[in-house]
Amino acid sequence: RVQLVESGGGSVQVGASLRLSCVVSGDINGINCMGWSRQAPGKEGEGVAVVYTGGAYPYYADSVKGRFTISQDSAKNTVYLQMNSLKPEDTAMYYCAALCYGRSTPGLPTNRFEYRGQGTQVTVSS
């Protein structure tokens, strides 16, 4: 089993930045991807950013492209989501996720994962 623990959420103003962190532990062999998804109240969840093991480039949702960056520090078993130029519509619970199902396409990363963390809240106010 894989455990994912997120941190770094908070309440910020429009235009601010936040960096989410996710520490990964457990049986990480066979993990084909890491990613972030989010869910806002009353809305469907969406994949935000996904990076595949050995992949050439990450996939980002169109709504965050150019503002969010996913990265990994393998030595620390940590995945990050750097979020810049935050907007009110970015307000959601953000989940770190691992082991992808489904297919990611440019602008539409998969939102199907075997494992998710407990989530960290991001609130952006104007």
Side-chain angles (χ1 to χ4, degrees):
R1 182 151 181 85
V2 173
Q3 293 80 42
L4 307 165
V5 180
E6 307 98 331
S7 61
S11 296
V12 296
Q13 298 289 316
V14 168
S17 297
L18 281 174
R19 188 176 79 158
L20 306 184
S21 299
C22 171
V23 178
V24 186
S25 61
D27 184 10
I28 61 174
N29 291 319
I31 294 295
N32 66 337
C33 83
M34 295 295 304
W36 291 89
S37 66
R38 67 185 180 185
Q39 179 139 29
K43 295 186 178 180
E44 284 192 16
E46 64 171 336
V48 174
V50 168
V51 59
Y52 288 87
T53 302
Y57 51 81
Y59 292 84
Y60 294 100
D62 281 336
S63 58
V64 307
K65 204 175 296 182
R67 300 187 297 122
F68 290 14
T69 303
I70 187 171
S71 62
Q72 300 181 90
D73 185 335
S74 299
K76 297 181 179 180
N77 283 344
T78 302
V79 181
Y80 302 99
L81 185 68
Q82 178 67 44
M83 306 186 295
N84 298 329
S85 302
L86 283 162
K87 305 175 181 180
E89 50 264 44
D90 294 319
T91 295
M93 186 71 80
Y94 283 72
Y95 298 92
C96 179
L99 212 172
C100 297
Y101 296 112
R103 184 167 168 254
S104 294
T105 57
L108 192 63
T110 184
N111 192 35
R112 296 174 59 203
F113 303 94
E114 178 70 18
Y115 303 106
R116 293 181 197 265
Q118 81 286 356
T120 186
Q121 178 67 37
V122 173
T123 302
V124 185
S125 56
S126 55

